[in-house]
Amino acid sequence: MTTAFTRTTSRTVTFTHPFTLSSVDGVQPAGSYVVETDEELVDSLSFPVYRRTATWLHLPRSDGGTNRGIAMSQTALIDPDELDRILQSAEKGGHLPG
């Protein structure tokens, strides 16, 4: 039996303007967001290589409210290539989609 090794990496990205993503409803406000990437080890090679299996964006609760004093958020599965294009456009001074 083969055991799959997985890892999750986390990074924070900052949007300076409101933005949209095809997999997320509505326009998201400018700000900092946590992006998590899940990867699994490809065990058929003689050296360690990880394959991306999912990318998640943590979104703030749209109404800014809390549940029993705990800030609530939503996590959305996103296309990492779309996210990279938006971030690269912002770095070049381009207008963000949305």
Side-chain angles (χ1 to χ4, degrees):
M1 181 170 122
T2 304
T3 303
F5 292 98
T6 60
R7 68 181 182 186
T8 300
T9 56
S10 179
R11 66 184 172 130
T12 300
V13 297
T14 301
F15 294 95
T16 56
H17 300 284
F19 66 98
T20 60
L21 291 167
S22 61
S23 60
V24 178
D25 290 338
V27 176
Q28 301 306 311
S32 295
Y33 291 79
V34 174
V35 176
E36 290 185 349
T37 302
D38 295 337
E39 300 171 307
E40 69 181 10
L41 182 64
V42 177
D43 61 358
S44 60
L45 301 173
S46 60
F47 51 92
V49 173
Y50 284 85
R51 178 179 65 89
R52 182 173 48 213
T53 58
T55 302
W56 303 92
L57 179 68
H58 292 266
L59 302 167
R61 183 171 165 159
S62 60
D63 64 5
T66 61
N67 183 10
R68 296 186 189 145
I70 301 171
M72 301 299 291
S73 65
Q74 175 184 6
T75 303
L77 181 63
I78 62 168
D79 176 354
D81 295 328
E82 181 182 18
L83 176 65
D84 288 343
R85 282 191 302 272
I86 292 170
L87 292 171
Q88 286 173 3
S89 175
E91 286 176 4
K92 293 177 182 176
H95 179 66
L96 294 176

